[in-house]
Amino acid sequence: MMKFDIVRDRLLDGLNDVMKAVSSKAAIPILTGIKIDVTEEGLRLTGSDSDITIQSFIPAEEDGEQIIRVIEPGSIVLQAKFFNEIIRKLPTNDVVIEVTGHLQTHIRSGKSEFHLIGSDADEYPLLPQVEEDRKFSIPGDLLKSIIRETVFAVSSSESRPVLTGVNWQVAEGELICTATDSHRLARRKTSLENLAGEYTAVIPGKSLQELSKILVDGSTPVDIVLANQQVLFKSGNVLFFSRLLEGNYPDTSRLIPSEYKTNVTVNGKTLLQAIDRASLLAREDRYNIVKFSTDEGKVVEISSNSPEIGKVEEQIEAIEVDGEELKISFSAKYMMDALKAIDGQDVVIQFTGSMRPFILKSAHDDAIIQLILPVRTY
Amino acid sequence: MMKFDIVRDRLLDGLNDVMKAVSSKAAIPILTGIKIDVTEEGLRLTGSDSDITIQSFIPAEEDGEQIIRVIEPGSIVLQAKFFNEIIRKLPTNDVVIEVTGHLQTHIRSGKSEFHLIGSDADEYPLLPQVEEDRKFSIPGDLLKSIIRETVFAVSSSESRPVLTGVNWQVAEGELICTATDSHRLARRKTSLENLAGEYTAVIPGKSLQELSKILVDGSTPVDIVLANQQVLFKSGNVLFFSRLLEGNYPDTSRLIPSEYKTNVTVNGKTLLQAIDRASLLAREDRYNIVKFSTDEGKVVEISSNSPEIGKVEEQIEAIEVDGEELKISFSAKYMMDALKAIDGQDVVIQFTGSMRPFILKSAHDDAIIQLILPVRTY
């Protein structure tokens, strides 16, 4: 038994968040549902695919305004897909939800009435247990940037599962996030005031992508709890749980070259567009290779050649070119991903020869380092 | 040999139009290309999938402004997909295109240079021949409406190919467009001043959908030429050719009932939303059936029942209900399609009993008639 009425738009906002955890191919049938718990304090929605669990709380009252009128507290699980669509299409902004005997659930709004058969909330899995000892917080927009700058570089292959995650390492007051698919690597270092201790955790790339979608813009802090097998992100009234990946993350610190033979400083956006055009004719190709060469001046030439279709030559004026002349080939896709992560600023590219990994970073700071392995073509 | 330079944005606009005719699964290889013909007057682009052919003309000069500088006239065929992407991504708004020996084509803009291998323009199929004796014109926005109000009702099955088209019939100064998939029918009558003679043509639904995408909004007239095997639409500098469907279109005039037992007048938008909600739980169902019933008052009840999921009841207040009480079942999808075609106005629904086809039309005029066959469930 349960009965309450609620402002429809607020229920919809909560559903939008928790729906991101619900998969139509759920491992256990009850996870195709959303759990609704109503107490005098408010309504709690829970969605989960067993890897990710999202919980959203809607308070009964907020800033003196009544959002939910609780007539009888209780719990029920309703089919996520139908419940979400029903709430979205209701004719008025007032909804009454009532559970009568045998899990019969009635949803009323205006002259519209839905009768659904729910599932027993006791059968819904419990929330993961998370001990709160490893805890820090990051402004929401900074967290979103950190995710965007690293997550694209995780491996999409399950052959080494630990590489499908981003390694979060806390050490010496810094958070160091690293992702690699063994052809390229993205690393982001962030100094945080409230960071103590030394520990690491590998967070699945997919979880970070979903988290990014529910983070609101702005600098409101997100509390992060890194437990042994779970990570919890708390943002306002939303809790986001993800399992962590098991296994040892490889030590990537020695991959990053410490000395360089050729240094190219160039506008990131100009380079991105030139690479994009140079790779146009090679899109069919899995590796999508472009050539990059410097001469004695400041002109960088980017080119590609697809024998059956044609070839492209691009010249860009670099801001600075130092060191040895260089010819190198690499994946246009990896280069474009890296440039997008650095986001339109002037970038420094540091090479150690045409067969060695090279790195990209912003001309202004070392917070982000993108490393790419070249391809043998010259 | 050929050489010209052109304002990039104008070339892109033309490409946007002709690309709609190009299919990646072309019947003959040269149709994966776009034909470019340059004369002193300007540039003509042609794209075709052999059913539809679109031609766009860009004048060398327009309103005293030079758009193309022709250095040497000529023709070439270039791979549509690459050519379009290259032009879209060029770094400046000035493009030079040059064909040298052996169909070598060079595209230059800023410091970007593409070299493509073209195909011989003489191998590109000729345009369909269209005799201009059956000719009339329709304002562009009206033509778009006529297409939108009828084309959704064509059959998607190839079992009777002629039903995959819309029947255009010219008779007594009227254009009558009819589409049916044998479960529902859409008919639109339009009186036109410049209409003479009596003739019919069945235009493929797919062609009309593509045509609709390239018609610009506004009342600029579109000239229409209905020949024996082809129809030609001329809109500004764009020519759109489509083959016609062969075979006799069925006589549908007798399907539309001439007398009615129950008349319901209702706001179209209110009914559309109620049907949409009532069908929410039955979406998996191929037929997506809802029940519709009137009582002695003005209340119409719409309901559906999916035994495993639940049921929905919707009540709406009709503007007027006349005649016999009625219970009828029909496809929610067909009903929603028909209501969208009538577009939010008050609609009149005329029934002749629960097992007979019923019609919908605007409360204001008879220009559009939508007919739906009911389903046996009561």
Side-chain angles (χ1 to χ4, degrees):
Chain A
M1 309 296 131
M2 172 178 101
K3 187 173 183 181
F4 65 98
D5 53 48
I6 184 167
V7 177
R8 192 260 311 257
D9 292 348
R10 291 299 297 266
L11 180 54
L12 255 191
D13 289 344
L15 280 172
N16 271 342
D17 288 336
V18 301
M19 281 298 284
K20 297 202 168 56
V22 180
S23 157
S24 55
K25 295 164 290 201
I28 50 173
I30 200 156
L31 292 185
T32 59
I34 281 176
K35 184 157 77 110
I36 302 168
D37 294 299
V38 179
T39 63
E40 297 297 340
E41 285 69 47
L43 181 152
R44 201 175 294 280
L45 297 168
T46 309
S48 178
D49 68 357
S50 75
D51 284 343
I52 298 172
T53 300
I54 303 176
Q55 199 170 72
S56 180
F57 179 72
I58 305 164
E61 212 185 287
E62 196 178 64
D63 303 331
E65 191 198 347
Q66 191 172 39
I67 296 159
I68 307 173
R69 194 166 59 95
V70 179
I71 298 144
E72 199 181 345
S75 296
I76 189 84
V77 175
L78 296 177
Q79 280 294 308
K81 195 181 69 174
F82 293 119
F83 184 49
N84 186 49
E85 276 228 68
I86 288 168
I87 299 303
R88 200 153 57 82
K89 293 196 169 170
L90 288 178
T92 78
N93 205 19
D94 297 307
V95 196
V96 181
I97 299 182
E98 182 177 6
V99 177
T100 57
H102 302 294
L103 307 168
Q104 288 285 341
T105 307
H106 312 278
I107 302 170
R108 294 185 200 94
S109 176
K111 297 212 164 170
S112 189
E113 187 162 351
F114 289 79
H115 311 276
L116 292 178
I117 301 141
S119 303
D120 190 343
D122 290 340
E123 289 171 22
Y124 197 89
L126 294 176
L127 280 192
Q129 292 296 313
V130 173
E131 287 140 38
E132 301 241 341
D133 50 343
R134 290 171 171 180
K135 192 171 161 181
F136 57 98
S137 73
I138 304 184
D141 41 13
L142 177 58
L143 177 56
K144 262 185 142 159
S145 297
I146 292 173
I147 295 172
R148 188 179 59 77
E149 290 151 4
T150 51
V151 74
F152 67 88
V154 302
S155 171
S156 55
S157 147
E158 286 292 331
S159 62
R160 283 182 73 188
V162 80
L163 294 188
T164 63
V166 180
N167 189 47
W168 282 38
Q169 180 183 5
V170 171
E172 296 169 17
E174 273 190 330
L175 171 67
I176 306 164
C177 299
T178 309
T180 180
D181 61 5
S182 74
H183 301 290
R184 44 122 171 233
L185 175 147
R187 190 184 74 187
R188 169 65 147 108
K189 285 193 183 183
T190 314
S191 295
L192 292 172
E193 286 191 359
N194 50 5
L195 218 51
E198 302 219 339
Y199 46 93
T200 63
V202 186
I203 307 175
K206 187 174 166 296
S207 300
L208 292 168
Q209 273 155 349
E210 293 303 324
L211 171 66
S212 201
K213 289 181 198 158
I214 66 166
L215 289 174
V216 285
D217 287 321
S219 60
T220 316
V222 177
D223 292 330
I224 302 171
V225 184
L226 276 173
N228 277 334
Q229 294 174 341
Q230 289 281 333
V231 57
L232 164 60
F233 298 88
K234 296 188 205 175
S235 170
N237 281 322
V238 179
L239 302 185
F240 183 103
F241 296 84
S242 166
R243 73 176 173 96
L244 296 176
L245 291 172
E246 288 171 29
N248 288 320
Y249 199 82
D251 176 13
T252 57
S253 60
R254 276 175 301 175
L255 288 177
I256 295 164
S258 52
E259 45 185 47
Y260 307 99
K261 295 190 179 157
T262 314
N263 242 292
V264 177
T265 307
V266 66
N267 178 266
K269 197 176 162 197
T270 306
L271 179 58
L272 178 63
Q273 291 174 342
I275 302 264
D276 189 15
R277 284 190 297 271
S279 67
L280 265 180
L281 304 185
R283 285 285 153 82
E284 319 287 83
D285 239 17
R286 192 174 143 211
Y287 296 104
N288 197 210
I289 303 307
V290 294
K291 297 183 182 185
F292 178 106
S293 61
T294 63
D295 61 7
E296 64 273 34
K298 286 189 182 174
V299 173
V300 171
E301 190 175 288
I302 295 144
S303 62
S304 81
N305 191 356
S306 301
E308 308 212 331
I309 305 161
K311 56 185 179 180
V312 193
E313 287 142 22
E314 293 279 333
Q315 290 191 339
I316 57 177
E317 189 81 19
I319 297 161
E320 215 175 314
V321 178
D322 291 325
E324 296 178 6
E325 266 185 55
L326 175 89
K327 288 183 195 297
I328 193 169
S329 296
F330 48 76
S331 152
K333 180 179 183 307
Y334 289 173
M335 184 55 130
M336 288 194 284
D337 285 348
L339 288 166
K340 282 176 198 159
I342 301 175
D343 207 8
Q345 309 165 39
D346 289 345
V347 294
V348 178
I349 317 179
Q350 297 182 316
F351 300 92
T352 333
S354 65
M355 292 316 300
R356 304 290 305 279
F358 60 92
I359 66 161
L360 285 89
K361 56 188 185 181
S362 160
H364 310 298
D365 64 59
D366 281 359
I368 308 173
I369 286 194
Q370 302 286 342
L371 176 138
I372 297 174
L373 267 69
V375 175
R376 195 185 299 261
T377 61
Y378 275 106
Chain B
M1 310 297 130
M2 172 178 101
K3 187 171 183 182
F4 64 98
D5 53 47
I6 183 168
V7 177
R8 193 262 311 257
D9 292 348
R10 291 300 296 267
L11 179 54
L12 255 190
D13 289 345
L15 279 171
N16 271 341
D17 288 335
V18 302
M19 281 299 284
K20 297 203 168 57
V22 180
S23 159
S24 55
K25 294 165 289 203
I28 51 172
I30 200 156
L31 292 185
T32 60
I34 282 177
K35 185 158 75 111
I36 302 168
D37 295 298
V38 179
T39 62
E40 297 296 340
E41 285 71 46
L43 181 151
R44 201 174 294 279
L45 297 167
T46 310
S48 177
D49 69 357
S50 75
D51 285 344
I52 297 172
T53 300
I54 304 176
Q55 199 170 72
S56 180
F57 179 73
I58 305 164
E61 212 186 287
E62 195 178 65
D63 303 331
E65 190 198 347
Q66 191 173 39
I67 296 159
I68 308 172
R69 194 166 58 97
V70 179
I71 297 144
E72 197 181 344
S75 297
I76 189 82
V77 175
L78 296 177
Q79 281 295 309
K81 197 181 68 173
F82 293 119
F83 184 49
N84 186 49
E85 277 228 66
I86 289 169
I87 300 303
R88 200 153 57 83
K89 295 196 168 169
L90 287 178
T92 78
N93 205 21
D94 297 307
V95 195
V96 181
I97 299 182
E98 182 176 6
V99 178
T100 56
H102 302 293
L103 309 167
Q104 289 285 341
T105 307
H106 312 278
I107 302 171
R108 293 185 199 94
S109 175
K111 298 212 166 170
S112 191
E113 186 160 354
F114 289 79
H115 311 275
L116 292 177
I117 301 139
S119 303
D120 189 343
D122 290 341
E123 288 171 22
Y124 198 88
L126 294 176
L127 281 190
Q129 292 295 312
V130 174
E131 287 142 39
E132 301 241 341
D133 50 343
R134 288 170 171 181
K135 191 172 163 178
F136 57 99
S137 73
I138 304 184
D141 42 11
L142 176 58
L143 176 56
K144 261 185 141 158
S145 297
I146 291 173
I147 294 173
R148 188 180 59 78
E149 290 152 5
T150 51
V151 75
F152 66 89
V154 301
S155 172
S156 55
S157 147
E158 286 293 331
S159 62
R160 281 181 75 188
V162 79
L163 294 188
T164 64
V166 180
N167 189 46
W168 282 38
Q169 181 183 7
V170 170
E172 296 169 15
E174 272 190 330
L175 170 68
I176 306 164
C177 299
T178 309
T180 180
D181 62 5
S182 74
H183 301 290
R184 44 118 172 237
L185 175 146
R187 190 184 75 188
R188 169 67 146 105
K189 287 192 182 184
T190 314
S191 294
L192 292 172
E193 285 192 358
N194 50 5
L195 219 52
E198 302 220 338
Y199 47 92
T200 64
V202 185
I203 307 175
K206 186 173 168 296
S207 300
L208 292 168
Q209 273 155 349
E210 293 302 324
L211 172 65
S212 202
K213 290 179 198 161
I214 66 165
L215 289 174
V216 285
D217 287 322
S219 59
T220 315
V222 177
D223 292 330
I224 301 171
V225 184
L226 277 172
N228 278 333
Q229 295 174 340
Q230 290 280 335
V231 56
L232 164 61
F233 298 88
K234 295 187 206 178
S235 169
N237 281 323
V238 179
L239 303 185
F240 183 103
F241 296 84
S242 167
R243 74 177 172 96
L244 297 175
L245 291 171
E246 288 171 29
N248 288 321
Y249 200 82
D251 178 13
T252 57
S253 61
R254 275 174 302 175
L255 288 178
I256 295 164
S258 52
E259 45 184 48
Y260 306 99
K261 295 189 178 158
T262 313
N263 242 293
V264 176
T265 307
V266 67
N267 179 267
K269 197 176 161 196
T270 307
L271 179 58
L272 179 63
Q273 291 174 342
I275 301 261
D276 190 13
R277 283 192 297 271
S279 67
L280 264 181
L281 303 185
R283 284 286 152 83
E284 320 288 81
D285 239 19
R286 191 172 144 214
Y287 295 105
N288 196 212
I289 302 307
V290 295
K291 296 183 182 185
F292 179 107
S293 61
T294 64
D295 62 6
E296 63 274 33
K298 284 188 183 176
V299 172
V300 171
E301 190 175 289
I302 296 144
S303 63
S304 82
N305 191 355
S306 302
E308 310 213 329
I309 305 162
K311 58 185 181 180
V312 193
E313 287 143 22
E314 293 280 334
Q315 290 191 339
I316 58 178
E317 188 81 17
I319 297 161
E320 216 177 312
V321 178
D322 290 324
E324 296 178 6
E325 265 184 56
L326 175 89
K327 289 185 194 297
I328 192 168
S329 296
F330 49 75
S331 153
K333 179 178 185 304
Y334 288 173
M335 184 55 129
M336 289 194 283
D337 284 348
L339 288 166
K340 283 176 198 161
I342 300 175
D343 206 9
Q345 308 167 40
D346 289 346
V347 294
V348 179
I349 317 178
Q350 298 183 317
F351 300 93
T352 334
S354 66
M355 293 315 302
R356 305 288 305 278
F358 60 92
I359 66 162
L360 286 89
K361 56 187 185 183
S362 160
H364 310 298
D365 64 60
D366 282 358
I368 308 174
I369 286 192
Q370 302 286 342
L371 176 139
I372 297 173
L373 268 69
V375 175
R376 197 185 298 261
T377 63
Y378 275 104

